[in-house]
Amino acid sequence: APPFLVVVAERDMANLRQQGERARDALKAKGVEVEFHLAKGKTHVTEFTDAAADGDATLEAIVRFVEARASRPASRPARATR
């Protein structure tokens, strides 16, 4: 199985956060490489909409995860203007 990055929002609905935690635990139990990122202070929506901001922790976690497994560094997406 490929490696997984599970991202959940700190202020998400409890069942969605628990679903992410269960997915992480089930993957680990099967010996799958899995990383878990808690998007602190974020909701189900803002964990993604805020990822376009410079220095966003969720974006940084995604980039680190991909770069660690890629044969060459991942390019960062162009920043959206708001």
Side-chain angles (χ1 to χ4, degrees), residues 21-50:
E21 292 167 344
R22 284 193 309 271
R24 173 203 58 206
D25 296 344
L27 289 164
K28 278 187 178 181
K30 296 288 185 181
V32 175
E33 179 185 355
V34 61
E35 289 186 24
F36 185 83
H37 175 75
L38 178 63
K40 294 183 179 177
K42 306 293 181 173
T43 67
H44 189 70
V45 174
T46 61
E47 70 181 310
F48 298 106
T49 59
D50 290 355

Side-chain angles (χ1 to χ4, degrees), residues 49-65:
T49 59
D50 290 355
D54 283 333
D56 179 75
T58 299
L59 174 61
E60 295 302 320
I62 293 167
V63 170
R64 277 192 310 272
F65 181 84

